[in-house]
Amino acid sequence: QDRDWETAEQWESQLLEREDSPAAFGRFYRARRLLAQAEGRQDPRLDEAAQLQTQLKTAYPNLRTVDILQAQVQEARGDVAQAIAAYQAAVEAGEREANVLERLVLLLAQSRRFDEAERVLETVDVQQIGSTTLRGLKVMMRRSKGDLDEAVKLAEQDVKENPRDALARLRLGQLYEEQGDNDRAEKAYREGMILRPEDVRAMTALFDLYARTQRSSEADALLQDVAGDNRLTPTQRVLLLATGKELLGDQAAAEQRLREAVQQDADKVALRLALADMLTRRGDPQSLAAAETVVREALERFPDSADLKRRQATVLLRQGGEENRRRALEIVQQLAGDQQAGSGADAFTLAGLYERQAD
């Protein structure tokens, strides 16, 4: 990676030495590199990136790419309002790249500016852009405003227009459950399992549905299917069997299965996440302390894992207390501002934390 940055710098320098148009490319690529290398909001490389962006804006005032660069610099600095304004300028000028629209909608949601986020989604053809993130955000936006029936309609339309998307069916199944329509939820989950048998999320949701509705025979049958399903990887099989055991009430067996799997394959982040989640769900102080230990040890091994950081924030919030909430807020702020690892869930979580802080 260091050699890659060194090569990039050499090319930038060659472009910057020229007096014709390629010099602009040199400034642009240098700014992008500095953004990628910056570590934290106070990194001086962000100042240089901002200076380069200003030079480009002066030379090319109507170039959407320069507005996007400005948004990325402001976002990296933590100035969400300015980042939103710059992204909006690019979109109003006709920008329709999925990653730009995703960042704009996520930042608006993070700032609890849901009406504006919805207007952005209404002004673009989400299906044509082909972003699963934008489609999911459109559904989540309606759900966050309390309009469950409209969210279900949007999710049903999403499934109709994207019949091979297993995640769309998972979202629809979850919304059906919220409506109390367990039969349609089960159908949606099973269709998702058929589309992507290697993705454990739909099967996990189905386990949960069976457990909550006390359909133990169906849950047992599903466990037998999992045990013999050769399409699953060993890790997926362990995760599903542990989830099934937990949902059927055998928490000790579920925890033991996961702890043994972690010992046998210490490099699988998914196993550590599942163990932390299981302990967190129990909710008692001893289990939460154990979950915190699992996450802390995992982060020592995988310090860049966004999923582990999310679990750390979750455990801190469950443990309660002002200091824990402050630490959780810092973690989620960092995740929501990460243009690579951030997700729609991070933006909504951060918005909720801000709301709780104001109460």
Side-chain angles (χ1 to χ4, degrees):
Q1 189 174 15
D2 291 338
R3 285 195 299 271
D4 288 340
W5 292 131
E6 185 178 344
T7 302
E9 281 192 77
Q10 291 174 356
W11 280 104
E12 292 162 11
S13 298
Q14 291 181 28
L15 287 170
L16 287 166
E17 288 172 2
R18 300 184 60 170
E19 296 181 357
D20 55 1
S21 59
F25 294 117
R27 287 194 289 271
F28 177 77
Y29 289 124
R30 174 161 291 183
R32 291 292 301 272
R33 174 179 59 78
L34 292 168
L35 272 174
Q37 290 180 302
E39 299 176 357
R41 296 175 180 178
Q42 305 304 319
D43 194 310
R45 284 174 286 202
L46 294 178
D47 295 333
E48 185 181 349
Q51 292 172 0
L52 292 166
Q53 188 277 328
T54 300
Q55 294 170 9
L56 288 166
K57 185 67 174 177
T58 300
Y60 305 97
N62 299 317
L63 194 62
R64 294 199 303 266
T65 306
V66 177
D67 288 328
I68 295 168
L69 180 60
Q70 180 185 1
Q72 292 168 338
V73 171
Q74 297 296 350
E75 190 174 352
R77 283 176 154 176
D79 192 338
V80 174
Q82 290 297 320
I84 287 174
Y87 280 129
Q88 285 176 326
V91 171
E92 288 169 3
E95 181 60 50
R96 291 297 182 269
E97 284 294 325
N99 63 318
V100 174
L101 293 164
E102 288 168 9
R103 293 311 304 168
L104 175 55
V105 173
L106 286 170
L107 289 176
L108 288 168
Q110 172 185 320
S111 304
R112 299 197 64 78
R113 294 161 62 175
F114 295 122
D115 290 340
E116 291 177 72
E118 280 200 299
R119 282 198 293 272
V120 172
L121 292 170
E122 289 169 359
T123 59
V124 299
D125 189 336
V126 172
Q127 296 295 338
Q128 186 176 18
I129 291 170
S131 166
T132 56
T133 299
L134 287 176
R135 298 202 320 264
L137 283 169
K138 196 169 184 178
V139 174
M140 289 171 64
M141 209 71 66
R142 299 309 304 174
R143 180 66 194 91
S144 69
K145 297 181 76 172
D147 194 344
L148 179 58
D149 290 343
E150 183 61 26
V152 168
K153 289 179 182 178
L154 287 172
E156 288 174 337
Q157 185 66 21
D158 190 15
V159 166
K160 182 178 179 181
E161 295 178 356
N162 301 278
R164 304 298 301 171
D165 189 340
L167 181 57
R169 279 179 164 74
L170 175 62
R171 279 195 297 264
L172 180 58
Q174 291 167 335
L175 291 170
Y176 281 149
E177 278 201 74
E178 284 196 62
Q179 284 187 321
D181 194 338
N182 292 331
D183 290 341
R184 288 208 289 180
E186 179 182 4
K187 181 174 181 292
Y189 294 147
R190 286 197 171 277
E191 288 172 347
M193 288 164 53
I194 292 170
L195 287 172
R196 292 194 64 182
E198 75 283 359
D199 189 335
V200 301
R201 288 174 294 184
M203 196 177 294
T204 301
L206 188 56
F207 267 132
D208 186 46
L209 175 62
Y210 287 154
R212 286 189 300 98
T213 54
Q214 299 181 335
R215 295 163 64 181
S216 56
S217 59
E218 286 98 328
D220 283 329
L222 190 55
L223 275 177
Q224 295 302 316
D225 291 342
V226 169
D229 193 338
N230 294 325
R231 295 171 299 181
L232 299 173
T233 67
T235 297
Q236 289 171 329
R237 188 175 293 108
V238 168
L239 292 173
L240 285 167
L241 289 173
T243 298
K245 290 290 185 183
E246 181 192 14
L247 292 172
L248 291 173
D250 195 347
Q251 294 190 358
E255 181 179 347
Q256 181 180 354
R257 184 181 288 273
L258 283 175
R259 287 195 180 277
E260 289 174 351
V262 168
Q263 288 180 345
Q264 293 169 7
D265 196 345
D267 289 331
K268 283 289 191 295
V269 175
L271 295 171
R272 296 171 183 264
L273 289 169
L275 179 56
D277 287 345
M278 182 177 294
L279 293 167
T280 302
R281 281 192 291 271
R282 293 180 187 173
D284 61 276
Q286 184 176 355
S287 295
L288 289 173
E292 184 181 20
T293 299
V294 169
V295 174
R296 185 177 66 253
E297 291 176 349
L299 280 169
E300 290 173 0
R301 194 179 184 96
F302 310 100
D304 297 325
S305 170
D307 286 328
L308 283 171
K309 292 175 183 177
R310 291 185 184 101
R311 295 319 194 275
Q312 186 179 35
T314 299
V315 173
L316 288 168
L317 287 171
R318 290 291 301 276
Q319 287 179 315
E322 191 60 33
E323 176 61 19
N324 283 340
R325 190 164 73 169
R326 183 192 64 77
R327 289 174 58 200
L329 179 60
E330 288 180 354
I331 293 168
V332 180
Q333 281 176 329
Q334 181 189 40
L335 287 168
D338 190 323
Q339 297 176 34
Q340 278 73 46
S343 72
D346 295 324
F348 281 90
T349 300
L350 185 56
L353 284 172
Y354 283 149
E355 192 171 60
R356 286 163 62 180
Q357 197 174 45
D359 288 342

